[in-house]
């Protein structure tokens, strides 16, 4: 049978096949986390953002070519008013078996409102970002947030049957003192907790060399109080998991700065303006909006060319945290 280039999987120049798409549906957010955004952010004009139909068409295209996992992110995905229509539309790929997982990463502030609809759309798991349980520190980190909304969002998600995983960005100082409480909070409620090393993305008005905490240091410190055993929980992603014997729960470590996970990378990211980023730690991106407006064949051609050129590894340098390695903010691509 002749080789059909149109249905071939999306494979890069290093033999890695892309099966995971992270789709940013908005650059906007109701919070301004200090490691992610500047205090005064200028958001994109709405006309620059892909329509719901364009987001759905691009998702369909990726799914037809081997993407099995789709994560909606932002900015904050739940601040986009019509996002539930997108979830409803995408859920048909779960029903027909084309997609293994439809999920989202959220700050949780609007989760209470949407948890049941998400569950009805076939979402099974959700990642909620929460770095502290202290209301004042939460407000200081997020510059705007009210922690009670996140806590009710988490409870509503669990009541709706969603499995919740917490994500926390590690930082020097108070975070280290509070981490034991966060671990207990998560594990007592059946949630895994993943710690993320701060990445030098975008100008935030803060000197990251003062806040960034290498997870290797943190793990050494945790091992003095907790019994951590390596665990084979595989998400296909960059997290390495340890089981905490005292709680039975899992603790994930995402170490882009101090540990190179690029060899196993199976993911690409699409911004809400339709730019495809094949590596978070690289400035390069390719526009898909103009080709999509021409034809799906043109969009597929652009996707294939971009993936073929996916960089072998990211360009972060742990010794250079004082200035952004990449000018774009984390909120452009949503992690
Ligand atoms: N607004 C949603 C949220 O906060 O979960 C989704 C988008 S947010 C950009 C995705 C994840 O990136 C969050 O877990 C957040 O903590 C993390 N993040 C933001 N800026 C970061 C940075 N500079 N380094 C590492 N992680 C970061
Ligand atoms: Fe918003 Fe998420 Fe960035 Fe915080 S980390 S500012 S919640 S996009």
């Amino acid at each position: 049978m002749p080789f059909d280039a149109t249905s071939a999987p999306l494979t890069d120049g290093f033999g890695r096949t892309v099966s995971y798409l992270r789709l940013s549906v908005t650059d906007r957010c109701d919070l301004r986390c200090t490691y992610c955004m500047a205090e005064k952010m200028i958001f994109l004009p709405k006309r620059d953002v892909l329509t719901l139909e364009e987001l759905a068409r691009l998702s369909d295209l990726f799914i037809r070519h081997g993407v099995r996992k789709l994560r909606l992110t932002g900015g904050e995905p739940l601040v986009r008013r019509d996002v539930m229509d997108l979830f409803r539309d995408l859920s048909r790929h779960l029903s027909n078996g084309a997609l293994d997982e439809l999920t989202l990463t959220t700050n949780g502030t609007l989760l209470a409102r949407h948890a049941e609809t998400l569950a009805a759309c076939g979402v099974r798991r959700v990642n909620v970002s929460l770095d502290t349980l202290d209301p004042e520190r939460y407000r200081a980190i997020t510059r705007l947030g009210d922690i009670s909304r996140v806590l009710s969002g988490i409870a509503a998600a669990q009541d709706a049957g969603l499995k919740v995983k917490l994500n926390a960005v590690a930082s020097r100082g108070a975070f280290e003192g509070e981490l034991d409480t966060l671990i207990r909070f998560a594990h007592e409620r059946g949630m895994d907790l993943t710690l993320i090393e701060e990445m030098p993305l975008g100008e935030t008005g803060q000197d990251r060399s003062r806040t960034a905490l290498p997870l290797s240091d943190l793990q050494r410190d945790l091992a003095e109080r907790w019994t951590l055993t390596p665990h084979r929980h595989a998400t296909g992603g960059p997290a390495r998991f340890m089981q905490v014997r005292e709680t039975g729960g899992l603790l994930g470590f995402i170490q882009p700065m101090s540990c190179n996970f690029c060899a196993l990378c199976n993911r690409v990211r699409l911004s809400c303006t339709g730019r495809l980023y094949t590596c978070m730690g690289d400035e390069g991106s390719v526009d898909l909006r103009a080709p999509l407006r021409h034809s799906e064949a043109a969009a597929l051609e652009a996707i294939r060319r971009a993936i073929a050129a996916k960089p072998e590894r990211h360009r972060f340098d742990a010794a250079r945290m004082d200035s952004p390695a990449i000018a774009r903010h984390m909120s452009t691509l949503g992690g």
Side-chain angles (χ1 to χ4, degrees), residues 22-34:
R22 299 174 72 111
L23 183 62
S24 173
V25 298
T26 178
D27 66 324
R28 292 170 193 246
C29 187
D30 52 347
L31 304 180
R32 299 285 184 279
C33 302
T34 49

Side-chain angles (χ1 to χ4, degrees), residues 58-68 70 90 93 98-99:
L58 283 172
S59 303
D60 290 357
L61 202 51
F62 277 97
I63 292 166
R64 282 209 301 277
H65 293 88
V67 160
R68 305 283 314 172
L70 185 55
L90 294 171
H93 295 294
L99 203 57

Side-chain angles (χ1 to χ4, degrees), residues 156-199:
Q158 292 193 311
D159 288 347
L162 299 174
K163 183 140 178 69
V164 178
K165 177 166 83 67
L166 295 186
N167 283 340
V169 175
S171 57
R172 288 186 194 284
F175 178 82
E176 296 168 90
E178 279 183 75
L179 185 51
D180 289 354
T181 314
L182 199 56
I183 292 173
R184 271 188 219 98
F185 171 83
H187 290 179
E188 277 165 9
R189 288 162 182 75
M191 301 182 282
D192 296 335
L193 169 67
T194 294
L195 308 174
I196 309 174
E197 244 167 33
E198 186 171 346
M199 290 173 247

Side-chain angles (χ1 to χ4, degrees), residues 33-81:
C33 302
T34 49
Y35 42 73
C36 177
M37 289 192 180
E39 189 159 12
K40 291 194 169 41
M41 288 290 286
I42 298 170
F43 294 112
L44 293 165
K46 292 228 167 92
R47 65 172 180 278
D48 288 355
V49 173
L50 293 180
T51 64
L52 218 54
E53 193 220 343
E54 287 169 328
L55 288 166
R57 283 176 67 206
L58 283 172
S59 303
D60 290 357
L61 202 51
F62 277 97
I63 292 166
R64 282 209 301 277
H65 293 88
V67 160
R68 305 283 314 172
K69 175 171 172 177
L70 185 55
R71 178 179 297 279
L72 269 53
T73 177
E76 172 48 42
L78 297 181
V79 302
R80 182 158 174 167
R81 216 169 298 140

